[in-house]
Amino acid sequence: MSMSSILFFLLAQSKSSLLSIITAYLNIQIFFKSNHIFSPFLWCCLIASISTFYLKKCSKKVYLVDFACHKPLPCCLCSKELFIHNLKASGVFKDESISFQRKIVDRSGFSDKTYVPEDSLKIPPIICTLNAEKKETESVIYAAIDELLLKTKMKVDDIDILITNCCIFSPTPSLSAMVVNHYKLKDQVLCYNLSGMGCSAGLIAIDLAKHLLQVHQNSYALVVSTENLNSGGYKGNNKSMLITNCLFRLGGAAILLSNISSDSRRSKYLLKHTVRTHTGSQDSCYNSVIQREDETNKIRGIALSKDLMSSAGLALKENITTLGKYVLPLSEKLKFATSFVVKKYFNKNMKVYTPNFKLCFEHFCIHTGGKAVQDEMQKVLGLSDWQIEPSRMTLYRFGNTSSSSVWYALAYCEAKGRIRKGDRIWQLAFGSGFKCNTAVWRALRNVDPIEEINAWSDEVHEFPVDV
């Protein structure tokens, strides 16, 4: 290999190190001319350095080894009628509040097979306590992690990074500490607990894991996403706060990530991109989903404002504009740029071209915020019924499981046998703040629905259904 060939190789690997490579090249050339006897040794050192650089470059890839979605026990099933019955039995809601929640549930896109914590189904309802909240969270995250460890045959001692996320429930010690204690993880494990970040926190956790794995070589990261219904329930009569009672359901997911090159052979997906958008600098966006006391100043809940949909639209626009730079073909970029210039300088009434993201992805796993959100997403992105199906069926079967919902949608695609090697998957979620977050994956192999058992496997043949 000639010196010029080596230089070209290094330039191809890292454009940012152009100056240092040229300097090293000139220094080596000068040294070689005056120290011929050491040339073989220096060549060996140079080759070793290149090999090390290349291996480090490769190790920055982040692989999704596998994931598991929790399917609660049948005793946690809650039909829409049972849900309304329990609202009445609680004795805390006025008749008009119960009627309002019935309308929300009827229009929710739910089936009669979503899940709630077992204690909330008891009559009279058990008073919400810290122990009840911990019991709910532990039952979900431990079951999801147990299934993931079984699927991947991982030992807990191999976990180097742990990230947990739950928006409302943030006890001390944290959820990540609960996992460390339960599974007796090693003392050196890096722990992070994300709270208060809404339904898109699951993808924020993936982005955080990606950055950590790019620093800590030869490591495994465990990400656990869930929400807590006991601590998030609202026991008052403010309509803007009652909506969340009707939408959220029990669920959670555990995801194993790796930056070890040899794991590419057994992993399901390669992480290609993460894009995070935060519009909280605007007051209307910041206040569109907010936890506060109601007008009594005694009862806490999560209020949804009339600006929620417009905030989601703004965050989505910013997010896909950034994402488009990475994934859209040149033809779509030119169409978008042309329409933008024409609108800005020639025709103010012209509508800016919406890029066709269907050219970039085979599968769409959109957060199951609610039926209205899904309808709008299908319209804006121009998705077919088949493309929005994983999200719709997840909402129908499991409800809004918050930050874990995008994993139930991906599990649906797997159970249907849709994932083929090379397929591109777009996970998209919204959250309070207001945030819109994206993760893009590429399938590394076909996913056989017979071999890959998940939360959908025993009943996926019943779907899709009309909603």
Side-chain angles (χ1 to χ4, degrees), residues 279-287 314 433:
T279 59
S281 60
Q282 301 185 41
D283 290 344
S284 60
C285 295
Y286 175 80
N287 292 304
L314 176 62

Side-chain angles (χ1 to χ4, degrees), residues 234-419:
Y234 172 62
K235 301 298 189 294
N237 292 282
N238 184 305
K239 286 188 176 181
S240 69
M241 295 180 171
L242 288 170
I243 298 174
T244 55
N245 285 353
C246 306
L247 293 183
F248 289 99
R249 292 295 182 264
L250 192 66
I255 305 97
L256 181 65
L257 303 174
S258 169
N259 62 7
I260 302 172
S261 298
S262 59
D263 278 328
S264 63
R265 293 189 292 271
R266 68 168 181 143
S267 297
K268 286 183 175 179
Y269 306 99
L270 173 68
L271 182 59
K272 298 294 293 181
H273 307 287
T274 55
V275 176
R276 294 173 56 178
T277 303
H278 202 307
T279 59
S281 60
Q282 301 185 41
D283 290 344
S284 60
C285 295
Y286 175 80
N287 292 304
S288 61
V289 181
I290 192 165
Q291 186 181 32
R292 59 175 177 82
E293 277 84 21
D294 64 11
E295 57 276 4
T296 68
N297 288 322
K298 296 179 180 179
I299 307 174
R300 186 177 300 172
I302 299 176
L304 307 182
S305 81
K306 58 181 176 57
D307 295 320
L308 176 58
M309 292 301 290
S310 60
S311 298
L314 176 62
L316 174 64
K317 178 183 176 182
E318 295 296 328
N319 190 270
I320 63 176
T321 299
T322 303
L323 178 65
K325 300 174 184 177
Y326 303 120
V327 302
L328 286 172
L330 181 59
S331 59
E332 289 298 298
K333 293 179 182 178
L334 289 174
K335 289 179 182 178
F336 173 78
T338 301
S339 65
F340 180 82
V341 170
V342 171
K343 178 180 178 63
K344 185 173 183 179
Y345 295 104
F346 301 102
N347 184 0
K348 301 294 184 182
N349 297 322
M350 179 180 174
K351 183 179 179 180
V352 175
Y353 175 73
T354 301
N356 184 5
F357 281 91
K358 293 185 289 184
L359 299 174
C360 312
F361 307 106
E362 283 71 39
H363 309 286
F364 298 80
C365 299
I366 298 169
H367 167 55
T368 57
K371 189 175 183 299
V373 174
Q374 292 178 342
D375 290 344
E376 187 64 22
M377 290 297 297
Q378 182 177 16
K379 179 182 177 181
V380 170
L381 297 176
L383 303 181
S384 66
D385 290 340
W386 186 89
Q387 289 166 328
I388 198 70
E389 181 184 309
S391 180
R392 283 204 191 282
M393 293 306 102
T394 296
L395 180 66
Y396 180 79
R397 178 60 183 86
F398 293 97
N400 180 351
T401 61
S402 188
S403 58
S404 64
S405 68
V406 292
W407 297 105
Y408 284 89
L410 181 54
Y412 179 87
C413 295
E414 291 188 351
K416 278 291 185 180
R418 295 182 178 182
I419 304 296

Side-chain angles (χ1 to χ4, degrees), residues 4-234:
S4 58
S5 298
I6 294 173
L7 178 59
F8 178 81
F9 174 84
L10 289 173
L11 287 172
Q13 295 298 315
S14 178
K15 295 180 181 178
S16 63
S17 58
L18 175 60
L19 182 59
S20 61
I21 292 171
I22 293 176
T23 303
Y25 170 70
L26 294 175
N27 289 336
I28 290 171
Q29 287 282 52
I30 294 170
F31 190 82
F32 276 6
K33 290 178 180 179
S34 59
N35 298 274
H36 298 291
I37 191 170
F38 295 109
S39 294
F41 173 73
L42 290 173
W43 276 113
C44 291
C45 291
L46 184 59
I47 292 171
S49 299
I50 292 171
S51 299
T52 302
F53 178 84
Y54 180 71
L55 289 173
K56 286 185 177 180
K57 181 80 173 177
C58 290
S59 67
K60 289 185 178 181
K61 292 181 178 179
V62 176
Y63 303 100
L64 193 162
V65 181
D66 212 332
F67 68 98
C69 297
H70 174 55
K71 188 172 186 177
L73 297 173
C75 61
C76 297
L77 283 170
C78 182
S79 67
K80 288 182 281 189
E81 202 56 47
L82 178 59
F83 177 76
I84 297 300
H85 173 75
N86 286 358
L87 291 179
K88 295 178 180 178
S90 69
V92 300
F93 299 106
K94 296 178 180 179
D95 289 342
E96 60 183 292
S97 296
I98 293 173
S99 297
F100 176 75
Q101 290 179 88
R102 181 186 289 276
K103 290 180 182 179
I104 297 298
V105 170
D106 288 341
R107 300 170 184 173
S108 65
F110 285 12
S111 69
D112 285 323
K113 286 188 174 184
T114 58
Y115 300 95
V116 298
E118 183 180 4
D119 287 348
S120 66
L121 292 175
K122 295 178 180 178
I123 302 297
I126 295 177
I127 297 175
C128 183
T129 63
L130 180 60
N131 283 335
E133 294 169 354
K134 290 180 67 175
K135 178 183 175 183
E136 175 192 339
T137 294
E138 288 173 348
S139 68
V140 173
I141 63 178
Y142 294 165
I145 294 173
D146 286 346
E147 183 181 343
L148 178 63
L149 293 175
L150 184 64
K151 291 174 73 173
T152 58
K153 298 180 174 58
M154 281 284 295
K155 297 178 180 178
V156 292
D157 287 341
D158 293 329
I159 297 173
D160 305 289
I161 299 166
L162 170 65
I163 303 171
T164 57
N165 74 267
C166 182
C167 182
I168 300 298
F169 185 49
S170 184
T172 298
S174 66
L175 300 190
S176 59
M178 288 166 55
V179 174
V180 171
N181 178 259
H182 182 79
Y183 291 96
K184 309 304 178 188
L185 300 187
K186 60 189 178 186
D187 296 343
Q188 297 78 22
V189 65
L190 301 177
C191 290
Y192 301 85
N193 184 75
L194 307 180
S195 63
M197 302 194 78
C199 298
S200 67
L203 297 184
I204 294 176
I206 294 297
D207 179 70
L208 174 58
K210 179 189 77 171
H211 284 88
L212 291 169
L213 288 170
Q214 289 176 339
V215 175
H216 301 278
Q217 301 299 320
N218 299 316
S219 298
Y220 287 102
L222 173 63
V223 175
V224 185
S225 297
T226 190
E227 194 47 77
N228 191 283
L229 302 190
N230 274 307
S231 59
Y234 172 62

